[in-house]
Amino acid sequence: KSDKAKIEKINGVLGTQIGAGTFQVLIGTHVSDVYDELLTIPGITGKGEVADDEDTTIASEKVSLFDRFTRMMSTVFSPYIPVLATGGIASGVVGLLANLGVMTTDSLTYQTFYSIFYSLIYFFPILLAFTAAKHFRSNQYVAAVLGASIMYPGVADLLVAGEKADLFGINFPAFHFASSFIPILLAIFCMSYFERWLKKTVPATLQFIVVPAACLFIFVPLTIMVFGPVGSLVANGISTVYQAVMAYPIISCTLIILVGMHWAVTPIMLGILATQGYEAGLAAGGMGNYAVLGICLAVMIFDKNKEMKQTAGSSSFTLALCGISEPCLYGVILKDKKYIMNMLVAGAIGGFICGITGVAATNFAYAGILSFGAWLTAKSFVWYCVAIVVSVVVGFVLTAFMLKTNQSKKA
């Protein structure tokens, strides 16, 4: 059994947590260095990615449905986050240049960089099919073909959302799969069980052809007729709940990260962004990150603990530059629960400013200097900047006051 207290006292360890059914040691941005160091220990070998059977074994051992869900969302979506962020920056910059008259939106230059972000969003069913198949232990290439089949122009052009479609003489509500994620996840999940059943029943000499053919012949039509309409209903329900929650921008993305729900929220944000061209949650909820930045800067300046000052300083730099908040959250915020209240208050004020002034992202982007270019075309950009400053300042002032008050009491 791991000694949580002793582990957290190790220099360089930011904290520990139980997430997705596993005991996690948080070490910030030094994962690759620690991994290389661990490999020098006799008896430890690098296996790279966890094998599918290992992952399934872990998932089946006393892991809640919630943990399984968050693990699945992380496995399926996280490979695309860096590309999404990069594409958001590219589309933000060319969008600004187009608004300034430097280029036109129908030029090849504009469309080339614009496509870096929106091609990924548009063809999400193909990409997610590939990573979902890996998680559900299905053939990734068959899954990708399934995703490509429902996105094929000859099929997609006949699936007009809100209208009736006909397949095999059966009428059903059409669903256009571009930018969607729930239907393809449902399809791959069910197909994985069907594929495993086929491998148990079909002779090994026939599996090479029969298994992929049966999967595609059955699940391409099923996805169009069943998983599309059903997924649409589920997606609409989730979107309605999410938008109702985001009508009150005191909900902070940072708090969502703390409870492990950011992977569940990200595809919802992407879906709304793709559908209506803008999304408010990325801006309003993201103010929590800037509140955390203000808190860590105050800790770096006013805290008397040298180790904490060092942690706060390095974590602040990472957050300000890259928008990565986990080192700050687990290395500083959770060390003193009072900081959580400061984070919520400062993030809520910044989020409230975003909410009442109509700030909304037009590209997928997180906080941080490297992603700031993606915010240049945001709705109410000036107020977005104001909200950032307010969140940082309020987080800084509240924490500085708390630290100075505690120090004067001890004196």
Side-chain angles (χ1 to χ4, degrees):
K1 184 178 180 180
S2 302
D3 192 325
K4 182 173 180 289
K6 285 186 177 181
I7 292 175
E8 291 181 346
K9 290 180 181 179
I10 298 174
N11 186 31
V13 173
L14 301 178
T16 61
Q17 69 169 4
I18 302 295
T22 59
F23 180 78
Q24 301 171 1
V25 180
L26 307 166
I27 53 177
T29 57
H30 306 292
V31 175
S32 59
D33 296 331
V34 174
Y35 176 78
D36 292 338
E37 188 68 25
L38 286 173
L39 293 184
T40 64
I41 301 175
I44 296 182
T45 57
K47 292 184 178 181
E49 296 182 4
V50 176
D52 292 332
D53 56 347
E54 293 180 56
D55 185 71
T56 305
T57 301
I58 295 171
S60 64
E61 294 179 355
K62 299 180 180 179
V63 179
S64 67
L65 289 176
F66 175 79
D67 284 335
R68 293 188 189 187
F69 174 74
T70 55
R71 175 183 292 171
M72 183 272 291
M73 297 298 279
S74 175
T75 302
V76 172
F77 284 94
S78 60
Y80 304 114
I81 295 301
V83 185
L84 283 167
T86 301
I89 296 171
S91 59
V93 171
V94 295
L96 176 65
L97 293 176
N99 291 337
L100 295 175
V102 177
M103 64 177 67
T104 59
T105 56
D106 57 355
S107 68
L108 182 59
T109 302
Y110 177 89
Q111 291 297 331
T112 297
F113 287 95
Y114 185 79
S115 69
I116 294 174
F117 174 65
Y118 281 95
S119 62
L120 192 154
I121 297 295
Y122 186 85
F123 293 108
F124 237 172
I126 303 175
L127 299 169
L128 294 181
F130 190 78
T131 49
K134 179 178 181 180
H135 179 79
F136 293 127
R137 297 187 301 139
S138 183
N139 188 307
Q140 292 178 264
Y141 305 100
V142 172
V145 172
L146 191 160
S149 298
I150 61 178
M151 293 299 298
Y152 178 69
V155 173
D157 292 345
L158 296 176
L159 297 175
V160 181
E163 297 186 5
K164 292 290 184 179
D166 177 278
L167 183 60
F168 304 132
I170 303 173
N171 291 322
F172 59 93
F175 176 77
H176 197 280
F177 291 92
S179 308
S180 66
F181 68 96
I182 291 179
I184 196 65
L185 293 182
L186 291 174
I188 301 304
F189 173 74
C190 294
M191 189 179 77
S192 66
Y193 283 93
F194 180 68
E195 181 182 334
R196 287 196 285 274
W197 176 78
L198 285 174
K199 289 181 177 179
K200 291 179 180 178
T201 56
V202 176
T205 54
L206 299 177
Q207 289 183 10
F208 181 76
I209 295 295
V210 172
V211 173
C215 287
L216 290 174
F217 291 167
I218 293 175
F219 276 87
V220 171
L222 270 180
T223 303
I224 294 172
M225 298 174 65
V226 179
F227 298 122
V230 171
S232 175
L233 294 175
V234 175
N236 290 337
I238 293 174
S239 178
T240 300
V241 172
Y242 173 76
Q243 290 182 310
V245 170
M246 289 314 301
Y248 302 92
I250 60 172
I251 302 298
S252 167
C253 277
T254 309
L255 188 59
I256 291 174
I257 292 173
L258 276 174
V259 298
M261 281 298 293
H262 49 305
W263 297 116
V265 173
T266 297
I268 300 172
M269 291 178 171
L270 289 171
I272 294 173
L273 183 61
T275 302
Q276 61 187 27
Y278 62 90
E279 203 283 321
L282 281 167
M287 289 301 115
N289 277 1
Y290 288 108
V292 169
L293 178 60
I295 292 170
C296 287
L297 289 174
V299 171
M300 180 183 70
I301 295 172
F302 297 107
D303 201 297
K304 297 300 183 181
N305 186 308
K306 290 184 178 181
E307 183 178 344
M308 183 61 73
K309 289 169 74 73
Q310 182 179 0
T311 300
S314 60
S315 300
S316 297
F317 177 79
T318 302
L319 175 55
L321 184 65
C322 307
I324 300 174
S325 60
E326 281 85 349
C328 287
L329 290 173
Y330 299 114
V332 178
I333 303 298
L334 292 183
K335 296 293 185 181
D336 190 328
K337 302 303 187 291
K338 294 178 182 178
Y339 293 151
I340 296 178
M341 184 56 64
N342 294 351
M343 176 190 74
L344 292 176
V345 172
I349 294 174
F352 182 74
I353 292 173
C354 289
I356 62 175
T357 57
V359 177
T362 54
N363 299 290
F364 182 84
Y366 287 129
I369 295 172
L370 294 180
S371 299
F372 198 72
W375 290 99
L376 296 174
T377 55
K379 297 177 66 175
S380 301
F381 173 70
V382 173
W383 281 108
Y384 174 71
C385 295
V386 171
I388 289 175
V389 173
V390 171
S391 297
V392 173
V393 171
V394 172
F396 181 90
V397 171
L398 289 176
T399 305
F401 176 77
M402 187 183 79
L403 289 170
K404 298 297 285 186
T405 302
N406 292 341
Q407 289 166 9
S408 60
K409 287 181 179 179
K410 291 179 181 179

